[in-house]
Amino acid sequence: MVKLMEKLTHDIVIVGAGIAGLRAAIAAAETSSNLDIAVVSKVYPVRSHSVCAQGGTAAVLREGDSYDLHAWDTVKGSDFLADQDVVEFFVRKAPEEIIVLEHWGCPWSRTDDGKINQRPFGGHSFPRACFAADMTGFHEMHTLYGKAGEYGNIKFYDEWFVTSIIVENNIVAGLTAIELRTGRMQVFRAKAVIMATGGYARIYEFTTFSHTATGDGMAMAYRAGVPLKDMEFIQFHPTGMVPSGILITGGARGEGGYLINAKGERFMKHYAPEKMELAPRDIVSRAETTEIMEGRGIDGPYGAYIALDLRHLGEEKINERLPLIRDVAIKLSGVDPVKEPIPIRPAAHYSMGGIHANIKTETPVAGFYAAGECACHNVHGANRLGTNSTSDCLVFGAVAGEEAAKYALSNGFREIPQEKLAAEERRVFDEILGSEGDERVPIIRNEMRRIMSQRVWIFRKGDELQNALKEIRTLKERFKNIRVEDKGEAFNTGLVAALQLDFTLDLAEVTIASALARTESRGAHTRLDYPKRDDENWLKHTLAYYTKEGPRLEYIPVTITKWPPTARKY
């Protein structure tokens, strides 16, 4: 069923139109007006998952704060797995991004004297989270999309699904993508490709992620020979609203919200007596889960939960600082936080791991860059601090755009072998869309999410991880026998769901294999059978390489510049 592909040619192709992708496009366009830049997204850009970011963007702006303090907070929060040279670069660049967004029109919330306001956030020792009420990502996205529209050399391909990255002799040559409107697969030739496709927490049942956040870019890079790094480290956000999983921003606790159990007790005093509710996310999520497991959760129709109490903040402050939170709580949980606590429990929220990339966003493949949550530059280590993610997208999105632009200006196009295009068409249209098996995508997808949620959640054990790995590999075999009911061409959402499931099964396998190998507890990776951090054996990053038999693991050292590992207490 091989079709004739049309070839589209651009100097730089950016995959993903969230904060990182848009920031990369702007940086590349500003580097040279002679560059022809494409932004390819499977959704309309302002529908990207980045709009869901609520609480803020971390940056050093005030007297009393410092680069070293932000870096130390980040390194300590990472449980000392962050590369400290990258962290030091990151904290110095973040304030520049806040200011440039300000100049481009981002409506930051203000202090009484007109300065950009900043709120406290978990794990930070200074209030450095710049915010736009509780819709920070939404406003950053609209600011960036508006700015990107000013450049005549940026072209958007909205509602195109990228299926593969093409690499020849360890140099990127382009990618293949399906135009969803027509169902036709086409090839993009590019001198440089930037991956900015976000995370993959949709491998879990209870998650804050949009349904479109399926880690496609990570899986494509992995299959193209680029290793995935530190994939065992999944962040569980302490406040996923029950039952939907929709994020209740950490800003709710930053504004003074309490976490209470069935006794009405602020239980964080037992787990992080100094920071309380503003401890890092891994610590708070473990504490909540422990409270529920030990019978101190609040009983509800969707199982036991913890309560987030904002009532003492008062209606005026909630309406000013947390208007979206009040709105979604009322509409989706039937709870008005002015009058009663919000039911919450930990939800899968963020991947600290991702495509192996260095401080310049370069991957081991020449001309191929990665930024945002799909990338791992070693900033967040084993646990990310709240509000460091949008800073990461802005800082490394800008770096990726600049580096890709410099590369594209000094390199030419590569030839794309016809046999690789034919192989990708066969995979998508014959092996997946053309399959006439008796398995169904939603059933396999739900089973994957159940396995991950039961066996690869906050607390992990070796035997359960081993069983999970076997079960995921069984699902991968079952996937070969699927049937996509819709055989049509235009907007075939059944085919998209199948392609996404194919990617997420790979990512689930890598996550489990990496977690099984790491016989210690560090940050968000908690092994009940190995409860202590082991710096002697495990102060290193995991690299997972694709093979037909499953991931092959290697390790590289952590870079330490100023702060040797110490006991992590809050």
Side-chain angles (χ1 to χ4, degrees):
M1 191 174 161
V2 177
K3 302 176 182 181
L4 185 63
M5 283 197 207
E6 182 183 340
K7 286 187 178 176
L8 304 163
T9 301
H10 297 276
D11 295 314
I12 300 171
V13 177
I14 299 165
V15 187
I19 290 173
L22 291 177
R23 186 66 187 91
I26 294 167
E30 290 193 330
T31 300
S32 172
S33 59
N34 294 323
L35 288 170
D36 182 0
I37 302 156
V39 180
V40 185
S41 173
K42 65 180 176 183
V43 296
Y44 187 67
V46 292
R47 298 291 184 195
S48 299
H49 181 65
S50 291
V51 299
C52 298
Q54 296 171 350
T57 299
V60 174
L61 295 181
R62 295 277 191 281
E63 188 176 340
D65 200 3
S66 71
Y67 295 136
D68 269 3
L69 191 57
H70 188 186
W72 163 246
D73 288 344
T74 299
V75 169
K76 182 182 177 185
S78 80
D79 217 349
F80 297 92
L81 200 72
D83 281 357
Q84 295 177 17
D85 56 338
V86 184
V87 172
E88 291 188 79
F89 170 81
F90 162 73
V91 300
R92 282 169 168 75
K93 298 297 288 186
E96 298 175 18
E97 293 300 317
I98 298 297
I99 300 305
V100 78
L101 276 183
E102 158 79 0
H103 292 170
W104 294 342
C106 187
W108 298 115
S109 293
R110 301 284 175 175
T111 61
D112 290 340
D113 60 356
K115 294 179 180 176
I116 295 172
N117 208 341
Q118 293 179 289
R119 58 166 54 120
F121 236 84
H124 292 276
S125 55
F126 192 89
R128 64 171 68 95
C130 308
F131 61 97
D134 57 354
M135 296 184 288
T136 307
F138 175 90
H139 289 300
E140 289 176 344
M141 278 291 293
H142 281 261
T143 301
L144 290 167
Y145 187 51
K147 182 66 178 176
E150 296 178 9
Y151 297 91
N153 57 335
I154 300 176
K155 180 173 181 177
F156 284 90
Y157 291 84
D158 302 337
E159 298 180 320
W160 286 62
F161 190 95
V162 178
T163 69
S164 72
I165 304 299
I166 301 166
V167 175
E168 273 294 289
N169 300 318
N170 208 45
I171 302 171
V172 77
L175 53 85
T176 57
I178 298 170
E179 183 182 17
L180 297 179
R181 181 177 59 87
T182 63
R184 290 187 60 202
M185 181 178 281
Q186 301 187 30
V187 59
F188 286 80
R189 293 180 71 222
K191 298 174 182 175
V193 172
I194 301 172
M195 196 60 77
T197 50
Y200 68 108
R202 273 280 151 192
I203 61 172
Y204 291 97
E205 289 176 326
F206 192 64
T207 174
T208 64
F209 266 40
S210 304
H211 287 273
T212 54
T214 49
D216 312 336
M218 292 184 192
M220 284 184 273
Y222 175 60
R223 292 177 180 185
V226 180
L228 298 179
K229 183 166 56 189
D230 291 345
M231 292 288 280
E232 59 267 46
F233 298 106
I234 301 282
Q235 180 161 90
F236 298 93
H237 196 289
T239 53
M241 188 170 65
V242 176
S244 65
I246 285 175
L247 176 67
I248 300 297
T249 172
R253 285 170 288 131
E255 296 293 349
Y258 300 153
L259 293 172
I260 55 177
N261 59 20
K263 298 178 179 179
E265 173 190 31
R266 289 180 66 190
F267 56 86
M268 283 307 300
K269 64 186 178 184
H270 303 302
Y271 303 92
E274 292 183 22
K275 286 288 189 180
M276 294 290 285
E277 287 87 359
L278 292 182
R281 289 172 177 173
D282 60 328
I283 292 172
V284 181
S285 290
R286 281 193 294 272
E288 290 179 354
T289 304
T290 301
E291 291 293 302
I292 291 171
M293 290 170 61
E294 294 182 355
R296 292 183 294 277
I298 302 165
D299 291 330
Y302 303 99
Y305 65 87
I306 296 298
L308 173 62
D309 194 353
L310 307 179
R311 292 173 294 181
H312 55 286
L313 301 181
E315 185 170 7
E316 183 179 349
K317 186 170 185 178
I318 290 172
N319 285 342
E320 179 197 346
R321 299 290 182 88
L322 303 167
L324 178 64
I325 294 310
R326 185 180 187 190
D327 190 47
V328 297
I330 291 170
K331 290 178 178 176
L332 298 175
S333 273
V335 168
D336 185 347
V338 170
K339 300 174 182 176
E340 53 190 320
I342 304 171
I344 56 93
R345 65 171 179 261
H349 179 66
Y350 186 87
S351 51
M352 271 72 74
I355 300 166
H356 176 39
N358 64 17
I359 196 168
K360 292 183 175 182
T361 73
E362 298 165 324
T363 73
V365 169
F368 184 46
Y369 303 82
E373 191 177 347
C374 75
C376 181
H377 307 113
N378 307 344
V379 172
H380 308 300
N383 176 68
R384 174 179 66 78
L385 294 189
T387 71
N388 268 358
S389 58
T390 45
S391 305
D392 173 0
C393 289
L394 291 165
V395 167
F396 290 103
V399 172
E402 291 165 5
E403 293 296 328
K406 287 189 284 188
Y407 182 89
L409 288 168
S410 57
N411 287 274
F413 291 98
R414 312 288 296 185
E415 281 304 312
I416 298 178
Q418 190 62 37
E419 60 269 22
K420 287 199 172 184
L421 303 182
E424 181 62 7
E425 284 189 320
R426 283 194 299 272
R427 181 185 79 87
V428 172
F429 295 113
D430 295 348
E431 295 171 19
I432 294 180
L433 184 61
S435 175
E436 295 291 343
D438 54 10
E439 295 282 2
R440 296 296 179 269
V441 166
I443 292 172
I444 296 176
R445 184 178 60 215
N446 290 344
E447 188 69 7
M448 173 191 69
R449 290 173 177 172
R450 180 195 62 78
I451 293 164
M452 297 302 293
S453 297
Q454 289 182 357
R455 304 189 190 280
V456 201
W457 195 248
I458 292 170
F459 292 114
R460 302 166 174 179
K461 290 168 63 178
D463 57 345
E464 292 187 356
L465 291 170
Q466 193 75 58
N467 288 334
L469 191 57
K470 291 177 185 174
E471 291 174 311
I472 291 296
R473 286 174 174 166
T474 299
L475 292 183
K476 290 185 73 172
E477 286 301 310
R478 285 173 58 186
F479 179 83
K480 296 175 183 176
N481 195 36
I482 63 162
R483 175 183 168 85
V484 177
E485 300 289 350
D486 182 2
K487 302 297 183 182
E489 294 187 338
F491 288 105
N492 189 332
T493 55
L495 174 59
V496 169
L499 292 168
Q500 291 177 156
L501 175 60
D502 191 25
F503 288 148
T504 51
L505 285 168
D506 269 2
L507 298 175
E509 182 184 31
V510 172
T511 299
I512 300 166
S514 300
L516 182 60
R518 185 172 286 271
T519 52
E520 66 159 354
S521 290
R522 184 185 296 271
H525 172 67
T526 305
R527 288 282 297 263
L528 295 176
D529 45 351
Y530 295 95
K532 293 184 179 179
R533 192 180 81 197
D534 181 0
D535 291 332
E536 184 177 345
N537 295 303
W538 286 106
L539 191 64
K540 56 190 179 183
H541 300 292
T542 306
L543 294 179
Y545 290 84
Y546 175 83
T547 76
K548 290 182 179 179
E549 294 73 37
R552 173 177 60 82
L553 302 183
E554 294 184 2
Y555 297 91
I556 56 174
V558 173
T559 301
I560 294 175
T561 58
K562 294 181 180 177
W563 300 284
T566 61
R568 185 168 169 253
K569 297 179 181 179
Y570 290 92

